[in-house]
Amino acid sequence: MRTALGGRGGGPALRESGLEPDVRRACSTAALDRYDAVVLGGALYVGRWHREARAFVRRFAGEMAERPTWLFSSGPLDRTADEKSIDPVRGVAEAARRVGARGHATFGGRLRSDARGFLASRIAKTSGGDYRDRDQVRAWAAGIARDLQTIGV
Ligand SMILES: Cc1cc2nc3c(=O)[nH]c(=O)nc-3n(C[C@H](O)[C@H](O)[C@H](O)COP(=O)(O)O)c2cc1C
């Protein structure tokens, strides 16, 4: 089986579960016919999902709806994503409905303290740091692997 998994971190957990994830950038996926399931994620910028994730949904919504699909977002530059489940932003919630996603998770993000750009450098001054929790990502991916096994994919 093949799983398109946008984003890093979950790939090893799926592989450990006997699946064969193909981890690639959303914009470098030409077609979904060789995939049995899709996990698509992207960072959040000013309340919106990464544009490549949005473009992926615009392009493949129909095919995603025909396959088990999960979505994730990464963003919060604090520990909130470790402490509680964070709902998807509106656009991601709409995408989840559109493709019939089986689940969504929000993970902590990372912003280097020397980030460039007007907004990024301002945010970095107060909130720069690495808030990614790889164990949390692995646990979520392991849950996906279990669900796929349950439904026989
Ligand atoms: C300009 C800018 C806007 C951001 N807006 C949000 C936001 O609205 N919500 C959020 O949770 N995180 C936000 N973040 C944090 C990013 O999602 C986080 O840093 C993410 O890990 C960046 O991923 P990247 O390194 O792949 O760009 C923002 C970061 C920047 C630089």
Side-chain angles (χ1 to χ4, degrees):
M1 81 91 90
R2 293 268 186 276
T3 307
L5 179 79
R8 300 184 192 91
L14 295 179
R15 209 165 283 122
E16 282 158 22
S17 306
L19 304 172
E20 294 171 43
D22 182 10
V23 182
R24 51 171 62 236
R25 278 186 72 144
C27 64
S28 74
T29 306
L32 291 190
D33 35 310
R34 55 191 279 254
Y35 299 107
D36 298 319
V38 179
V39 183
L40 173 69
L44 296 170
Y45 302 97
V46 200
R48 297 189 82 190
W49 221 14
H50 192 289
R51 63 187 167 77
E52 287 179 18
R54 287 187 271 130
F56 189 98
V57 171
R58 275 199 302 278
R59 183 168 176 198
F60 293 119
E63 286 143 287
M64 292 168 82
E66 290 165 0
R67 294 164 171 75
T69 292
W70 286 264
L71 307 180
F72 67 89
S73 309
S74 70
L77 295 169
D78 54 30
R79 291 276 161 224
T80 50
D82 298 343
E83 291 156 8
K84 59 178 185 189
S85 164
I86 298 176
D87 288 339
V89 298
R90 199 175 66 185
V92 179
E94 279 166 16
R97 272 194 294 278
R98 193 168 164 199
V99 305
R102 288 168 176 261
H104 170 272
T106 302
F107 299 113
R110 176 193 63 169
L111 187 62
R112 290 168 56 114
S113 52
D114 60 353
R116 291 186 170 195
F118 176 70
L119 202 45
S121 60
R122 289 186 68 159
I123 297 170
K125 273 198 190 109
T126 54
S127 314
D130 191 346
Y131 300 94
R132 295 171 299 176
D133 180 345
R134 289 192 165 72
D135 289 341
Q136 190 185 23
V137 174
R138 278 200 196 93
W140 188 67
I144 290 175
R146 280 195 300 277
D147 285 356
L148 287 172
Q149 275 152 7
T150 304
I151 58 178
V153 172

